Amino acid sequence: KTKLYRPYGDEYLEALKKARVKQIRSQAVANELFTYVIFLVMLFIISYANRDADSFTLKKHIHGNIVTKNRFDKVNNTDDWWRWAHNTLVSELKAGPLYNGQPPYGFRGYVGDLTQRMMGFATLRQIRIKRNTCRVAPEVQNLTRECAQQTSLLYEDSTDYCNAWEEETDITRDLPSCLLEEFKYSSAESLDGLPITADLDSYLGGGYVFNVKGANKDIRSKLKKLQQQHWINNQTRAVILEFATYNVNINLFAVATIAAEWIPGGGIRTYTRIDPIRLITPLSGYGVIVYICKFFFVFFILYFIVRETGNVFLKKCEYWNSYWAYVEWFIILTAISAMGFYYYKRVLTIDMLDTFSKTYGNGYMKLQHVALIDEFYGYHLGFLIFAANIKLLKILEFNNKMSLLIYTLSRCWGDLSGFLGIFFLAFASFVQMFYLILYSDMNDFKTPLRAFETCFSMMLNKFKFGTIKETSAIAAVSFFFFAVSVNWILINVLLTIIIEGYERVKQELEGKGNDLEVIQYIKDAARSMVGIQPRPHFLQEFAPEGSRHDELVVNKEEEEGKRDNEGDDSVVKEFPEKVDEFLEYVNKIYFDGELDIKTKGDLKDGMTKRKPISTDDQPMPKEREKKKEDSHAPEVNSDRPIKSANLSMANPEEDDLDDMFEDLDAVDKEISEMEDDSDLID
């Protein structure tokens, strides 16, 4: 059989064009999604390789040995601190005798637990405030004339002293009592120190340093001597213990900063920070995968830079109208900064390991600097993971369910932005009230920032009301108004605005299909890759094996039969019109238009009442006479009976008329049957 292909119509071509464009867009989104998922996987591998699940255990172990075991967190005065120092600095930071009393052979340089190697040695660094940095009130000048305020970076003492903090003179400068290093100031540059922020204040990287190294007996002797010489007095503002260890079993470094801050009003506040960090990634096993991911990560960032730079030049100012453009550049710039911190950390790590190798692990090494760089590097990775996951929502916006959050926020942002101003204004009012009432009674409200954090916890119902009630009755009543105003009213109004926007967006998207069928395209492509089905194509459904192939291809015999049926249909439809024209012609020629031919009944009555046709004296109609003259036909005998279809009589009688109408009924019936057949064909 011969096959015929029908040509496309304009509407069908337009539909195919839209289908092709949709398929191209789906393919582009699928490619971008696939590429971006690879980028995310590599970013996850790099980020999580920089963290270790054993970090928490290591931190808890060091905290227990240094802080909890010897009750450092319970230190309240100078005597308590000296007691802690005598019990901790030697027994926990230096390997002591084994369980059988034998020296710790093979554990030189290890700490007390014999599992961690000390990186160099620990240091005690004292921060002092200059004398008379505040003015004594005139009313009490008869009591004392010395005053030292809380530590300030501008008023940190950097003067060299003799023993017991005696001022150095030209005469005493070279005496043995003025040569102790613990009373000499060491700058931040010489110590490779960085400013730190503890619980009460911030401190520079310099200070008066005591190195915890040497034999255990010598360390204990020096501590007692410093205590006798009042190494800690009323100008002392902080004493910071700094050390770093390495645990080879889990390949983690630990950088510890344990500070005791002397409050000018009396008392001590402790501060502890222990940072487990990973500085070495072995080039074997999983480490190889990490280095490969880092290598390709750089190429991905270069690709993003080239792509977004091209979009900037192509779209110009319109490029910045989209919020996602800022997300793209945030990812790019953060990645570049993260790479800079990573390579800087590598340089510091190499220098530290070089010093460790040259001094056999006994030289001065301070890891606070590399720990800070690793901290910033971790922040960058966190921001990258966050922004990259948010960008994934942009790629998946072809799915209505994935873009529901964005649509909801955009729909209710007008009402939400106005209400957030009211919300934070009311919330800030309660924060200031609680701070002014409880700043001196509760640690959670000692600063405006801590008060804000505590009020936020109160808003989440994560606060013990009994603590406030025991402290202040006024604060307890204020807490009740806070709970009613914020938790019951403001939060519920905020949720109502969001829920209303969500419901509106949900109604708009209900029953609405996805803009692109990317998931289906990916499934089809995956099946084609494994050989389950052919490669997806927008004209595949019109192929010989496609589901819509019959719409374009037909057999020649069927096509010709259909054309014959269409010809018969046209004849059937034209036949009633031809009969009507014929009756009108008969009425006009032979009955002078006097018959009513609208219905069969009227036609029959009209022909019955019509006088018999006589040709004796009836004049010839003008039309026939004219035709006769024009054709010069011979004269016809006037007595010849009239002959026409269904009519051949000179004087029609009633029976003849009945016969004629019976013939008309038969014709009408035949027409009806032909029309029915036509309907069946259609």
Side-chain angles (χ1 to χ4, degrees):
K1 296 180 180 180
T2 305
K3 295 182 178 180
L4 300 177
Y5 287 84
R6 296 174 183 165
Y8 292 118
D10 293 339
E11 296 181 357
Y12 200 70
L13 284 174
E14 186 65 23
L16 287 179
K17 180 180 178 181
K18 292 181 179 179
R20 177 56 177 166
V21 172
K22 186 175 181 179
Q23 194 253 1
I24 292 175
R25 290 179 57 197
S26 299
Q27 184 178 3
V29 173
N31 293 337
E32 183 181 7
L33 180 62
F34 179 74
T35 305
Y36 200 76
V37 167
I38 295 177
F39 170 74
L40 275 181
V41 170
M42 291 193 299
L43 183 58
F44 287 154
I45 293 175
I46 295 172
S47 300
Y48 288 100
N50 196 53
R51 297 292 182 259
D52 196 294
D54 294 321
S55 299
F56 175 78
T57 306
L58 178 62
K59 180 177 180 179
K60 184 178 179 180
H61 172 70
I62 297 175
H63 187 275
N65 289 340
I66 305 298
V67 178
T68 307
K69 182 177 180 180
N70 294 299
R71 302 176 63 83
F72 177 74
D73 53 342
K74 302 298 181 181
V75 170
N76 293 319
N77 52 50
T78 303
D79 292 336
D80 292 342
W81 187 90
W82 280 114
R83 191 177 302 110
W84 169 83
H86 288 299
N87 295 330
T88 302
L89 295 183
V90 176
S91 61
E92 299 299 337
L93 298 182
K94 299 282 292 185
L98 302 178
Y99 68 94
N100 55 5
Q102 295 294 324
Y105 295 115
F107 292 99
R108 181 181 180 182
Y110 279 77
V111 298
D113 59 5
L114 303 180
T115 59
Q116 301 180 81
R117 179 62 163 85
M118 179 68 72
M119 302 299 295
F121 51 85
T123 60
L124 279 174
R125 180 164 60 94
Q126 180 181 165
I127 310 297
R128 298 178 59 84
I129 189 70
K130 294 179 180 179
R131 296 176 179 177
N132 299 323
T133 53
C134 60
R135 298 181 60 183
V136 179
E139 293 79 3
V140 295
Q141 286 184 356
N142 58 335
L143 299 177
T144 182
R145 291 184 177 276
E146 292 187 2
C147 177
Q149 63 178 5
Q150 192 170 346
T151 311
S152 173
L153 298 179
L154 298 177
Y155 296 117
E156 283 191 12
D157 196 358
S158 59
T159 306
D160 293 339
Y161 292 94
C162 297
N163 295 357
W165 302 111
E166 293 290 338
E167 291 188 1
E168 188 179 74
T169 63
D170 294 337
I171 298 175
T172 61
R173 181 174 293 116
D174 297 328
L175 295 177
S177 60
C178 293
L179 299 179
L180 287 179
E181 294 295 330
E182 290 78 14
F183 293 94
K184 304 294 182 181
Y185 181 80
S186 300
S187 64
E189 291 78 9
S190 61
L191 296 176
D192 193 23
L194 295 173
I196 68 168
T197 300
D199 196 18
L200 288 179
D201 209 341
S202 297
Y203 310 99
L204 295 175
Y208 301 88
V209 179
F210 167 64
N211 296 322
V212 186
K213 66 177 182 177
N216 294 351
K217 182 168 57 175
D218 295 339
I219 295 175
R220 289 191 176 95
S221 176
K222 288 183 180 180
L223 285 175
K224 290 180 180 179
K225 185 176 181 180
L226 291 176
Q227 184 178 5
Q228 294 172 358
Q229 294 181 351
H230 302 286
W231 191 62
I232 298 176
N233 63 2
N234 59 345
Q235 265 74 49
T236 301
R237 285 297 172 264
V239 177
I240 305 171
L241 173 64
E242 297 171 319
F243 65 92
T245 62
Y246 175 68
N247 193 316
V248 68
N249 302 307
I250 56 178
N251 189 27
L252 284 177
F253 291 84
V255 182
T257 302
I258 300 172
E261 298 178 277
W262 272 256
I263 304 172
I268 295 176
R269 179 164 293 169
T270 60
Y271 169 81
T272 303
R273 175 167 180 171
I274 302 171
D275 297 318
I277 58 177
R278 170 160 289 170
L279 301 178
I280 302 174
T281 302
L283 193 59
S284 62
Y286 182 70
V288 177
I289 300 177
V290 175
Y291 279 110
I292 292 175
C293 291
K294 291 177 181 178
F295 178 77
F296 283 102
F297 178 81
V298 176
F299 282 95
F300 266 100
I301 297 302
L302 294 176
Y303 164 72
F304 290 154
I305 293 174
V306 174
R307 185 187 66 181
E308 296 305 315
T309 303
N311 290 335
V312 170
F313 284 104
L314 182 63
K315 299 180 181 179
K316 296 183 174 23
C317 295
E318 294 181 359
Y319 174 82
W320 303 105
N321 293 335
S322 174
Y323 295 111
W324 296 109
Y326 298 95
V327 176
E328 291 281 1
W329 282 104
F330 178 81
I331 294 175
I332 293 173
L333 296 178
T334 305
I336 294 174
S337 180
M339 288 188 286
F341 278 105
Y342 170 77
Y343 287 111
Y344 187 34
K345 184 181 75 170
R346 289 284 300 171
V347 171
L348 294 177
T349 302
I350 292 173
D351 292 342
M352 180 265 298
L353 294 177
D354 185 58
T355 302
F356 185 89
S357 177
K358 290 179 179 179
T359 60
Y360 301 98
N362 299 319
Y364 176 76
M365 288 171 284
K366 194 157 188 177
L367 272 66
Q368 270 73 16
H369 197 180
V370 68
L372 180 64
I373 299 302
D374 182 78
E375 180 182 357
F376 288 155
Y377 176 65
Y379 292 157
H380 283 72
L381 292 179
F383 289 140
L384 270 177
I385 290 291
F386 171 77
N389 283 280
I390 293 297
K391 171 66 185 307
L392 191 61
L393 292 177
K394 169 63 171 60
I395 300 177
L396 297 176
E397 67 179 357
F398 62 86
N399 190 299
N400 293 333
K401 293 181 180 179
M402 289 295 181
S403 57
L404 188 60
L405 174 63
I406 300 175
Y407 290 155
T408 300
L409 293 178
S410 61
R411 178 57 57 88
C412 65
W413 180 248
D415 298 333
L416 193 62
S417 59
F419 178 76
L420 286 177
I422 301 174
F423 177 84
F424 283 110
L425 180 62
F427 186 78
S429 302
F430 282 103
V431 170
Q432 297 178 62
M433 180 182 66
F434 282 117
Y435 166 69
L436 295 175
I437 295 175
L438 301 171
Y439 78 99
S440 62
D441 299 321
M442 295 183 63
N443 185 46
D444 293 333
F445 295 93
K446 67 178 182 179
T447 63
L449 181 59
R450 292 289 295 272
F452 180 87
E453 295 173 353
T454 306
C455 288
F456 196 81
S457 299
M458 291 164 56
M459 184 178 64
L460 300 177
N461 296 324
K462 293 183 178 180
F463 187 78
K464 295 181 180 180
F465 173 72
T467 307
I468 292 183
K469 183 179 179 181
E470 294 174 358
T471 304
S472 174
I474 297 177
V477 176
S478 301
F479 178 83
F480 172 77
F481 286 105
F482 175 83
V484 173
S485 302
V486 177
N487 290 24
W488 291 3
I489 300 177
L490 295 179
I491 293 296
N492 286 318
V493 173
L494 181 66
L495 293 177
T496 301
I497 294 174
I498 297 176
I499 292 173
E500 183 181 359
Y502 172 79
E503 291 295 335
R504 285 188 293 173
V505 172
K506 187 177 179 181
Q507 291 177 0
E508 292 176 359
L509 297 179
E510 187 175 0
K512 182 181 179 182
N514 297 327
D515 185 22
L516 299 175
E517 297 297 337
V518 178
I519 302 300
Q520 185 61 39
Y521 176 82
I522 294 176
K523 291 180 180 179
D524 294 340
R527 292 192 184 101
S528 65
M529 290 178 63
V530 298
I532 299 178
Q533 68 179 32
R535 183 178 180 182
H537 193 273
F538 84 108
L539 287 179
Q540 182 179 355
E541 55 186 357
F542 299 106
E545 298 83 6
S547 59
R548 302 178 63 182
H549 177 69
D550 294 339
E551 298 182 15
L552 299 181
V553 181
V554 296
N555 294 326
K556 184 175 181 180
E557 295 180 358
E558 295 177 357
E559 183 70 15
E560 291 177 352
K562 189 172 182 180
R563 290 178 180 176
D564 294 339
N565 292 334
E566 291 178 356
D568 295 340
D569 293 343
S570 62
V571 172
V572 172
K573 293 178 180 178
E574 292 177 358
F575 185 75
E577 299 177 359
K578 298 297 183 181
V579 172
D580 292 339
E581 293 178 1
F582 171 72
L583 292 176
E584 289 180 359
Y585 179 78
V586 171
N587 183 27
K588 183 177 180 181
I589 298 298
Y590 298 101
F591 297 96
D592 296 332
E594 296 179 359
L595 295 179
D596 187 0
I597 61 174
K598 295 181 180 179
T599 61
K600 292 187 293 183
D602 295 338
L603 178 62
K604 184 176 181 181
D605 294 341
M607 294 186 67
T608 304
K609 296 177 182 180
R610 182 76 165 80
K611 293 188 300 182
I613 301 175
S614 178
T615 57
D616 294 339
D617 55 356
Q618 174 143 347
M620 183 179 293
K622 296 180 179 180
E623 290 81 358
R624 286 182 57 85
E625 185 177 356
K626 185 176 181 181
K627 289 181 179 179
K628 198 171 183 180
E629 293 175 356
D630 294 339
S631 60
H632 301 283
E635 185 176 355
V636 181
N637 186 4
S638 62
D639 293 335
R640 184 178 61 85
I642 301 173
K643 295 182 179 180
S644 62
N646 299 322
L647 186 62
S648 177
M649 67 195 80
N651 295 315
E653 298 295 335
E654 186 72 20
D655 294 337
D656 297 333
L657 291 175
D658 292 337
D659 294 338
M660 182 184 69
F661 281 106
E662 289 178 0
D663 295 338
L664 290 175
D665 291 337
V667 172
D668 190 17
K669 184 178 180 181
E670 184 178 356
I671 293 173
S672 300
E673 292 177 354
M674 295 178 68
E675 290 178 349
D676 294 338
D677 295 338
S678 176
D679 294 336
L680 291 175
I681 293 173
D682 293 337

Short mmCIF file of all heavy atoms in Angstrom, two decimals, residues 455-492:
data_model
loop_
_atom_site.label_atom_id
_atom_site.label_comp_id
_atom_site.label_asym_id
_atom_site.label_seq_id
_atom_site.Cartn_x
_atom_site.Cartn_y
_atom_site.Cartn_z
N CYS A 455 15.78 36.98 75.09
CA CYS A 455 14.38 37.26 74.75
C CYS A 455 13.94 36.44 73.54
O CYS A 455 12.78 36.01 73.46
CB CYS A 455 14.20 38.75 74.47
SG CYS A 455 14.26 39.78 75.95
N PHE A 456 14.84 36.22 72.63
CA PHE A 456 14.49 35.37 71.50
C PHE A 456 14.22 33.94 71.96
O PHE A 456 13.31 33.27 71.46
CB PHE A 456 15.62 35.38 70.46
CG PHE A 456 15.23 34.86 69.12
CD1 PHE A 456 14.57 35.67 68.21
CD2 PHE A 456 15.51 33.56 68.77
CE1 PHE A 456 14.20 35.18 66.97
CE2 PHE A 456 15.15 33.06 67.53
CZ PHE A 456 14.49 33.87 66.63
N SER A 457 15.02 33.46 72.93
CA SER A 457 14.76 32.13 73.49
C SER A 457 13.43 32.11 74.24
O SER A 457 12.70 31.12 74.20
CB SER A 457 15.91 31.73 74.43
OG SER A 457 17.14 31.69 73.74
N MET A 458 13.12 33.20 74.94
CA MET A 458 11.83 33.29 75.63
C MET A 458 10.68 33.24 74.63
O MET A 458 9.63 32.65 74.90
CB MET A 458 11.78 34.59 76.44
CG MET A 458 12.72 34.60 77.63
SD MET A 458 12.99 36.26 78.31
CE MET A 458 11.32 36.78 78.65
N MET A 459 10.87 33.85 73.47
CA MET A 459 9.82 33.83 72.45
C MET A 459 9.59 32.40 71.95
O MET A 459 8.47 32.05 71.56
CB MET A 459 10.22 34.74 71.29
CG MET A 459 9.19 34.88 70.20
SD MET A 459 9.72 36.02 68.91
CE MET A 459 11.14 35.14 68.25
N LEU A 460 10.62 31.57 71.98
CA LEU A 460 10.49 30.18 71.55
C LEU A 460 10.14 29.25 72.71
O LEU A 460 10.19 28.03 72.55
CB LEU A 460 11.81 29.72 70.91
CG LEU A 460 12.25 30.51 69.66
CD1 LEU A 460 13.60 30.00 69.18
CD2 LEU A 460 11.22 30.41 68.56
N ASN A 461 9.80 29.83 73.86
CA ASN A 461 9.41 29.06 75.05
C ASN A 461 10.55 28.16 75.54
O ASN A 461 10.31 27.05 76.03
CB ASN A 461 8.16 28.22 74.77
CG ASN A 461 6.94 29.07 74.48
OD1 ASN A 461 6.77 30.14 75.07
ND2 ASN A 461 6.10 28.61 73.57
N LYS A 462 11.79 28.64 75.40
CA LYS A 462 12.94 27.90 75.88
C LYS A 462 13.64 28.70 76.98
O LYS A 462 14.81 29.08 76.87
CB LYS A 462 13.92 27.61 74.74
CG LYS A 462 13.36 26.66 73.69
CD LYS A 462 14.39 26.34 72.63
CE LYS A 462 13.84 25.35 71.62
NZ LYS A 462 14.82 25.01 70.56
N PHE A 463 12.90 28.97 78.04
CA PHE A 463 13.43 29.77 79.12
C PHE A 463 12.71 29.37 80.41
O PHE A 463 11.51 29.07 80.40
CB PHE A 463 13.22 31.27 78.86
CG PHE A 463 13.88 32.16 79.85
CD1 PHE A 463 15.24 32.41 79.78
CD2 PHE A 463 13.15 32.75 80.87
CE1 PHE A 463 15.86 33.23 80.70
CE2 PHE A 463 13.77 33.57 81.79
CZ PHE A 463 15.13 33.82 81.71
N LYS A 464 13.47 29.35 81.51
CA LYS A 464 12.91 28.97 82.80
C LYS A 464 12.36 30.21 83.50
O LYS A 464 13.11 31.11 83.90
CB LYS A 464 13.99 28.31 83.66
CG LYS A 464 14.48 26.98 83.09
CD LYS A 464 15.53 26.36 83.99
CE LYS A 464 16.01 25.02 83.42
NZ LYS A 464 17.04 24.39 84.28
N PHE A 465 11.04 30.24 83.61
CA PHE A 465 10.39 31.40 84.22
C PHE A 465 10.75 31.53 85.70
O PHE A 465 10.80 32.65 86.24
CB PHE A 465 8.87 31.27 84.06
CG PHE A 465 8.09 32.32 84.80
CD1 PHE A 465 8.08 33.63 84.38
CD2 PHE A 465 7.38 31.98 85.94
CE1 PHE A 465 7.37 34.60 85.06
CE2 PHE A 465 6.66 32.93 86.63
CZ PHE A 465 6.66 34.25 86.18
N GLY A 466 11.02 30.39 86.36
CA GLY A 466 11.31 30.45 87.79
C GLY A 466 12.55 31.27 88.10
O GLY A 466 12.63 31.90 89.16
N THR A 467 13.53 31.30 87.18
CA THR A 467 14.75 32.09 87.41
C THR A 467 14.43 33.58 87.48
O THR A 467 14.94 34.29 88.35
CB THR A 467 15.76 31.81 86.29
OG1 THR A 467 15.97 30.41 86.17
CG2 THR A 467 17.08 32.50 86.58
N ILE A 468 13.59 34.05 86.57
CA ILE A 468 13.20 35.46 86.60
C ILE A 468 12.35 35.77 87.84
O ILE A 468 12.49 36.81 88.48
CB ILE A 468 12.44 35.84 85.31
CG1 ILE A 468 13.38 35.78 84.12
CG2 ILE A 468 11.82 37.22 85.42
CD1 ILE A 468 12.75 36.19 82.81
N LYS A 469 11.46 34.86 88.16
CA LYS A 469 10.57 35.08 89.31
C LYS A 469 11.35 35.21 90.60
O LYS A 469 11.04 36.05 91.46
CB LYS A 469 9.58 33.93 89.39
CG LYS A 469 8.55 34.09 90.50
CD LYS A 469 7.59 32.91 90.50
CE LYS A 469 6.58 33.05 91.64
NZ LYS A 469 5.65 31.91 91.69
N GLU A 470 12.40 34.39 90.77
CA GLU A 470 13.22 34.48 91.98
C GLU A 470 14.07 35.73 92.01
O GLU A 470 14.46 36.19 93.09
CB GLU A 470 14.11 33.24 92.08
CG GLU A 470 13.34 31.94 92.27
CD GLU A 470 14.25 30.74 92.21
OE1 GLU A 470 15.47 30.95 91.96
OE2 GLU A 470 13.76 29.61 92.38
N THR A 471 14.36 36.27 90.85
CA THR A 471 15.25 37.43 90.78
C THR A 471 14.49 38.73 91.00
O THR A 471 14.92 39.60 91.79
CB THR A 471 15.97 37.48 89.43
OG1 THR A 471 16.68 36.25 89.23
CG2 THR A 471 16.94 38.65 89.37
N SER A 472 13.36 38.91 90.29
CA SER A 472 12.64 40.18 90.36
C SER A 472 11.16 39.93 90.07
O SER A 472 10.82 39.30 89.06
CB SER A 472 13.21 41.18 89.35
OG SER A 472 12.43 42.35 89.31
N ALA A 473 10.29 40.44 90.97
CA ALA A 473 8.85 40.31 90.76
C ALA A 473 8.39 41.17 89.59
O ALA A 473 7.48 40.79 88.84
CB ALA A 473 8.10 40.69 92.03
N ILE A 474 9.02 42.34 89.43
CA ILE A 474 8.64 43.22 88.32
C ILE A 474 8.98 42.56 86.99
O ILE A 474 8.20 42.62 86.02
CB ILE A 474 9.35 44.58 88.46
CG1 ILE A 474 8.90 45.28 89.74
CG2 ILE A 474 9.08 45.46 87.24
CD1 ILE A 474 9.60 46.59 90.00
N ALA A 475 10.13 41.92 86.94
CA ALA A 475 10.51 41.21 85.72
C ALA A 475 9.56 40.06 85.43
O ALA A 475 9.26 39.76 84.27
CB ALA A 475 11.94 40.71 85.83
N ALA A 476 9.05 39.40 86.48
CA ALA A 476 8.10 38.31 86.28
C ALA A 476 6.80 38.82 85.67
O ALA A 476 6.24 38.19 84.76
CB ALA A 476 7.83 37.61 87.62
N VAL A 477 6.30 39.96 86.15
CA VAL A 477 5.09 40.56 85.57
C VAL A 477 5.36 40.99 84.12
O VAL A 477 4.52 40.80 83.23
CB VAL A 477 4.62 41.75 86.42
CG1 VAL A 477 3.43 42.43 85.76
CG2 VAL A 477 4.25 41.28 87.82
N SER A 478 6.53 41.55 83.90
CA SER A 478 6.88 41.95 82.53
C SER A 478 6.96 40.75 81.60
O SER A 478 6.62 40.84 80.41
CB SER A 478 8.23 42.69 82.54
OG SER A 478 8.17 43.83 83.37
N PHE A 479 7.41 39.62 82.13
CA PHE A 479 7.47 38.40 81.32
C PHE A 479 6.06 37.98 80.87
O PHE A 479 5.87 37.50 79.75
CB PHE A 479 8.12 37.28 82.12
CG PHE A 479 8.19 35.97 81.41
CD1 PHE A 479 9.21 35.71 80.51
CD2 PHE A 479 7.22 34.99 81.60
CE1 PHE A 479 9.28 34.50 79.84
CE2 PHE A 479 7.27 33.79 80.93
CZ PHE A 479 8.30 33.54 80.05
N PHE A 480 5.06 38.17 81.74
CA PHE A 480 3.68 37.84 81.38
C PHE A 480 3.21 38.70 80.20
O PHE A 480 2.65 38.19 79.23
CB PHE A 480 2.77 38.05 82.59
CG PHE A 480 1.31 37.92 82.27
CD1 PHE A 480 0.72 36.67 82.08
CD2 PHE A 480 0.52 39.05 82.14
CE1 PHE A 480 -0.62 36.56 81.77
CE2 PHE A 480 -0.83 38.94 81.83
CZ PHE A 480 -1.40 37.69 81.65
N PHE A 481 3.46 40.01 80.26
CA PHE A 481 3.07 40.88 79.14
C PHE A 481 3.85 40.54 77.87
O PHE A 481 3.32 40.64 76.76
CB PHE A 481 3.29 42.35 79.53
CG PHE A 481 2.28 42.87 80.50
CD1 PHE A 481 2.61 43.07 81.84
CD2 PHE A 481 0.98 43.15 80.10
CE1 PHE A 481 1.68 43.55 82.74
CE2 PHE A 481 0.04 43.63 81.00
CZ PHE A 481 0.39 43.83 82.33
N PHE A 482 5.10 40.14 78.05
CA PHE A 482 5.90 39.73 76.89
C PHE A 482 5.30 38.51 76.22
O PHE A 482 5.20 38.43 74.99
CB PHE A 482 7.34 39.45 77.34
CG PHE A 482 8.23 38.89 76.26
CD1 PHE A 482 8.85 39.74 75.36
CD2 PHE A 482 8.43 37.53 76.13
CE1 PHE A 482 9.68 39.23 74.36
CE2 PHE A 482 9.24 37.01 75.14
CZ PHE A 482 9.87 37.87 74.26
N ALA A 483 4.91 37.51 77.02
CA ALA A 483 4.34 36.29 76.47
C ALA A 483 3.04 36.58 75.73
O ALA A 483 2.79 36.04 74.64
CB ALA A 483 4.11 35.27 77.58
N VAL A 484 2.18 37.44 76.30
CA VAL A 484 0.90 37.75 75.66
C VAL A 484 1.11 38.54 74.38
O VAL A 484 0.52 38.24 73.33
CB VAL A 484 -0.01 38.51 76.64
CG1 VAL A 484 -1.28 38.99 75.92
CG2 VAL A 484 -0.38 37.62 77.82
N SER A 485 1.95 39.57 74.45
CA SER A 485 2.12 40.47 73.30
C SER A 485 2.86 39.82 72.15
O SER A 485 2.46 39.92 70.99
CB SER A 485 2.85 41.74 73.75
OG SER A 485 2.14 42.39 74.78
N VAL A 486 3.95 39.15 72.47
CA VAL A 486 4.81 38.60 71.42
C VAL A 486 4.35 37.21 71.00
O VAL A 486 4.09 36.94 69.82
CB VAL A 486 6.28 38.57 71.88
CG1 VAL A 486 7.16 37.93 70.82
CG2 VAL A 486 6.76 39.98 72.17
N ASN A 487 4.26 36.30 71.97
CA ASN A 487 3.95 34.90 71.63
C ASN A 487 2.52 34.71 71.13
O ASN A 487 2.29 33.91 70.23
CB ASN A 487 4.19 34.01 72.85
CG ASN A 487 5.67 33.88 73.18
OD1 ASN A 487 6.44 34.75 72.83
ND2 ASN A 487 6.05 32.82 73.86
N TRP A 488 1.56 35.40 71.72
CA TRP A 488 0.17 35.18 71.36
C TRP A 488 -0.30 36.06 70.21
O TRP A 488 -1.05 35.61 69.36
CB TRP A 488 -0.74 35.40 72.57
CG TRP A 488 -0.57 34.36 73.63
CD1 TRP A 488 0.32 33.32 73.64
CD2 TRP A 488 -1.31 34.27 74.85
NE1 TRP A 488 0.20 32.59 74.79
CE2 TRP A 488 -0.81 33.14 75.57
CE3 TRP A 488 -2.32 35.02 75.42
CZ2 TRP A 488 -1.30 32.76 76.79
CZ3 TRP A 488 -2.81 34.63 76.66
CH2 TRP A 488 -2.31 33.51 77.33
N ILE A 489 0.10 37.31 70.21
CA ILE A 489 -0.46 38.26 69.24
C ILE A 489 0.46 38.41 68.03
O ILE A 489 0.07 38.10 66.89
CB ILE A 489 -0.71 39.63 69.91
CG1 ILE A 489 -1.71 39.48 71.06
CG2 ILE A 489 -1.21 40.65 68.88
CD1 ILE A 489 -1.96 40.75 71.84
N LEU A 490 1.68 38.89 68.26
CA LEU A 490 2.56 39.22 67.13
C LEU A 490 2.92 37.98 66.32
O LEU A 490 2.88 38.01 65.08
CB LEU A 490 3.82 39.90 67.65
CG LEU A 490 3.61 41.27 68.32
CD1 LEU A 490 4.93 41.83 68.82
CD2 LEU A 490 2.96 42.25 67.36
N ILE A 491 3.26 36.90 66.99
CA ILE A 491 3.65 35.68 66.26
C ILE A 491 2.47 35.14 65.46
O ILE A 491 2.61 34.71 64.30
CB ILE A 491 4.17 34.61 67.23
CG1 ILE A 491 5.50 35.07 67.85
CG2 ILE A 491 4.36 33.28 66.51
CD1 ILE A 491 6.62 35.23 66.85
N ASN A 492 1.27 35.15 66.05
CA ASN A 492 0.10 34.64 65.33
C ASN A 492 -0.26 35.50 64.13
O ASN A 492 -0.68 34.99 63.09
CB ASN A 492 -1.09 34.55 66.28
CG ASN A 492 -0.97 33.38 67.25
OD1 ASN A 492 -0.57 32.30 66.86
ND2 ASN A 492 -1.30 33.59 68.50
#
